[in-house]
Amino acid sequence: VPPSWPNGYNYQATFTVAPGQVPSAQTNFPALISGAYADFAASASGGRIANTCTQTVGNNATAVPCDLIFTSDAAGTVLLNWEFETWTAATGAVKIWVNVPNLANGTVIYAWYGNPAVTTLQTTPSAAWSNNFEAVYHMKENPAGAAPQLNDSTSNANSATMTGPTIAGQQQPGEIDGSVNFEGNTWASLANPANFSFERTDSFSLAGWFNIPSNSAATLLAKFPAVPNAGWALLQQPGASSPWFALGLFGQNNAATFALAHTPSVSMGTWHYMVATYSGTSTTAGMSIYVDGVKQTLTALSNNLATSIVNNLTPTINSRATASQISSDSMDEIRISAKGVVFSPSWVTASYNNENKPATFFTVATGLTNQ
């Protein structure tokens, strides 16, 4: 064992943001560290992790390394906040979300590991997600498990409960880790409906990875009734040969009063990263939709919103409050922003670069010793 670093850890790793990955500096950015690093395996499997702890997010308990920490400084004393999505003790494969206070090209995240004296978890997982997020769903859980099946990783406790004839087989490989395939007339209802009561004068953002198997209509994420009335909805609509994404805001007491805009069509059978933002204008001019990091030219289908969009419905993933307009899509890493948050174009690009190809987002060095 080499001499330990001054902070008591035997080994250091660096994750340096590669050139051209972040268009402009981001604050409180949830960066994904993803890969198989032999050093991050448990010592019993030939790695350098001495102790394991239990990380609890909602009702999900995961075995994770106690003595794998992340700091913003080369001395290893300024702890960041992180959440383990997965850790494989035998191989050191990890998917870890690290909140980086200031992220730009060239930013270094320092990892430290190999410290037998550390026997407790050194992070609060929910703190990896800033107050920009109202809800974060990794979609990695068993859809047929104990409710609520889909845990919210933020501190807001907005976990989601699956409804319909769910089976364990709906948990499938996703873009990041696991994903839920919403086959068989299933959907999820979100806790704390009032947290998602966006008004037409509020700004907000929605994001996620979607794999669309068919050119069909669906409501992907919404607080919107089966019979059109007040609400908001992220939609999938059939095109000539392939579907498109749409964002809609619908007014009370008049189904004809709404603002709705859609993207060009997208390909089926592959994962797409979709981000929709709305800036509170009550018009489609305040809407932006990005697909795979690229801002889309939107087509307005209606632009006469003039009444409140607030309702008392339960928000849902993959339905309109009940078994209405359900898809067979697979979905991964669903995000709903806090009220007042519009994800910027630079944030969208950086997020897509990071999540789509985490291995090239960072330049990585492991096994660094204090010698």
Side-chain angles (χ1 to χ4, degrees):
V1 177
S4 63
W5 294 87
N7 66 356
Y9 286 80
N10 293 323
Y11 301 97
Q12 180 198 78
T14 56
F15 294 83
T16 305
V17 179
Q21 297 296 309
V22 183
S24 64
Q26 300 295 307
T27 59
N28 291 317
F29 187 88
L32 173 65
I33 289 176
S34 176
Y37 306 102
D39 276 13
F40 292 178
S43 57
S45 297
R48 289 168 169 165
I49 298 299
N51 298 307
T52 59
C53 299
T54 298
Q55 173 191 271
T56 302
V57 175
N59 62 13
N60 182 261
T62 305
V64 299
C66 301
D67 56 322
L68 172 56
I69 68 169
F70 297 89
T71 72
S72 60
D73 66 318
T77 58
V78 183
L79 280 176
L80 299 173
N81 295 301
W82 63 93
E83 179 196 2
F84 290 94
E85 183 165 345
T86 63
W87 173 63
T88 304
T91 64
V94 295
K95 296 184 188 299
I96 308 167
W97 299 92
V98 182
N99 184 294
V100 184
N102 296 285
L103 183 92
N105 298 321
T107 296
V108 181
I109 301 172
Y110 297 89
W112 309 84
Y113 54 98
N115 187 343
V118 178
T119 58
T120 58
L121 189 65
Q122 300 297 295
T123 182
T124 301
S126 63
W129 304 97
S130 72
N131 58 11
N132 286 335
F133 295 94
E134 183 60 45
V136 170
Y137 306 101
H138 295 309
M139 312 295 281
K140 68 174 186 174
E141 298 89 352
N142 175 4
Q149 292 84 359
L150 306 180
N151 290 293
D152 173 17
S153 287
T154 76
S155 61
N156 299 316
N158 294 316
S159 293
T161 298
M162 293 291 295
T163 302
T166 55
I167 59 173
Q170 289 175 256
Q171 174 54 229
Q172 298 181 1
E175 174 66 23
I176 307 302
D177 180 44
S179 69
V180 173
N181 178 4
F182 284 92
E183 61 185 358
N185 293 321
T186 57
W187 71 96
S189 299
L190 312 188
N192 306 313
N195 290 352
F196 305 95
S197 288
F198 304 127
E199 182 53 282
R200 65 189 179 96
T201 51
D202 295 325
S203 52
F204 63 94
S205 302
L206 311 169
W209 287 88
F210 300 89
N211 191 325
I212 304 170
S214 63
N215 186 23
S216 58
T219 301
L220 305 177
L221 187 59
K223 197 171 188 293
F224 187 50
V227 177
N229 204 318
W232 57 264
L234 177 66
L235 303 165
Q236 168 189 311
Q237 292 294 320
S241 59
S242 57
W244 33 261
F245 293 117
L247 181 63
L249 307 175
F250 302 86
Q252 287 179 351
N253 304 320
N254 186 348
T257 301
F258 61 100
L260 176 67
H262 72 82
T263 68
S265 59
V266 298
S267 58
M268 296 178 290
T270 189
W271 285 101
H272 291 293
Y273 182 57
M274 195 286 312
V275 179
T277 69
Y278 171 68
S279 61
T281 62
S282 297
T283 66
T284 58
M287 297 178 180
S288 295
I289 303 179
Y290 306 79
V291 178
D292 299 332
V294 178
K295 187 175 182 177
Q296 304 294 295
T297 299
L298 299 183
T299 299
L301 296 180
S302 181
N303 202 14
N304 61 355
L305 178 60
T307 56
S308 174
I309 69 169
V310 173
N311 63 45
N312 60 3
L313 296 169
T314 298
T316 49
I317 300 173
N318 202 49
S319 81
R320 291 185 180 181
T322 60
S324 175
Q325 207 173 64
I326 292 174
S327 79
S328 295
D329 292 6
S330 294
M331 303 187 196
D332 195 7
E333 298 297 338
I334 299 296
R335 314 273 190 263
I336 304 175
S337 80
K339 189 180 295 185
V341 174
V342 174
F343 295 144
S344 70
S346 179
W347 184 95
V348 173
T349 299
S351 295
Y352 176 69
N353 290 343
N354 180 212
E355 296 179 26
N356 184 50
K357 294 183 177 179
T360 58
F361 189 82
F362 291 109
T363 300
V364 183
T366 62
L368 305 175
T369 60
N370 187 27
Q371 291 180 321

